[in-house]
Amino acid sequence: MASPDLNRDFEQVVIPDIYRYLQAENYQSAVEIINDFYKTKVDRDENNLLKQKCDSWKALIFEKQGRDQEALSLYKSLAQVMGSNHTLFTYFQVDVARVLHKIGNNKEARIEIEKALKESIRSSISDLLTALNLYISILEECHETLAHQYQPLVKKLATELGILRENDWLESGNLNQSVKECVVKNQEANKRYSRMLIELDEIEDASLAFQ
């Protein structure tokens, strides 16, 4: 991560402005505020960690502008810099594959997704499911199904999500549907978690009001 001070300044000063510009679809101003911030902090950016954070946001904005090749270049660079041992490797590999898929390059998109699934060592459940879900979308466009080699990964994710049922649920022909069910289950779990956090905040606010 970047230094605590740089992270704090970026999150408290820059990100609110980025969101405001994005809501107004003023993408150029969003990019400019990122660039201006980085220019003033570059001398304190140890190991280019702030640059990576800035590039991640710029890639997102470039996509919204329709500058897909520029976004793709940044996503590829970020995935390469992270390396397969990083928790964000799969996250950025999915971005690479997603943009390639969007511009119609399914062959390369498949290669990038397969690389993510093969080399993802410390990836989160959500990132792996996002990768698998995108992979299935690409395969279905090509009238293919998920290969049997991914069965152990799907089973592992299903087990962690607590949705393993009868044995034929994870047969090779059903892997596409199995992944989709895992994605839905994970989305539902995330929604419940978000609701729980909101309710806890409301309880805390109510408690403070009576103190």
Side-chain angles (χ1 to χ4, degrees), residues 27-61:
Y27 302 125
Q28 189 57 40
S29 292
V31 172
E32 288 173 0
I33 195 171
I34 293 170
N35 287 338
D36 290 344
F37 178 83
Y38 186 72
K39 286 177 184 177
T40 64
K41 309 293 183 181
V42 63
D43 59 327
R44 296 167 51 200
D45 185 22
E46 298 179 7
N47 301 317
N48 289 324
L49 296 177
L50 178 62
K51 182 178 187 301
Q52 293 164 19
K53 185 185 289 283
C54 291
D55 284 349
S56 177
W57 277 100
K58 286 164 66 175
L60 171 66
I61 296 167

Side-chain angles (χ1 to χ4, degrees), residues 101-119:
H101 179 230
K102 184 166 68 172
I103 63 178
N105 191 342
N106 283 345
K107 182 178 179 180
E108 191 173 346
R110 288 179 63 168
I111 292 172
E112 297 297 339
I113 282 289
E114 288 166 359
K115 187 189 303 182
L117 295 173
K118 179 181 179 181
E119 300 180 11

Side-chain angles (χ1 to χ4, degrees), residues 163-200:
I163 55 175
L164 269 180
R165 298 196 302 271
E166 64 275 8
N167 291 333
D168 67 348
W169 188 68
L170 284 171
E171 290 300 318
S172 182
N174 292 331
L175 282 181
N176 283 23
Q177 185 59 34
S178 299
V179 171
K180 291 177 183 178
E181 291 192 31
C182 286
V183 170
V184 171
K185 185 75 172 182
N186 188 57
Q187 289 172 342
E188 291 173 351
N190 288 337
K191 287 179 182 178
R192 287 196 300 272
Y193 181 70
S194 296
R195 285 198 297 269
M196 181 188 72
L197 290 180
I198 292 171
E199 290 170 1
L200 287 174

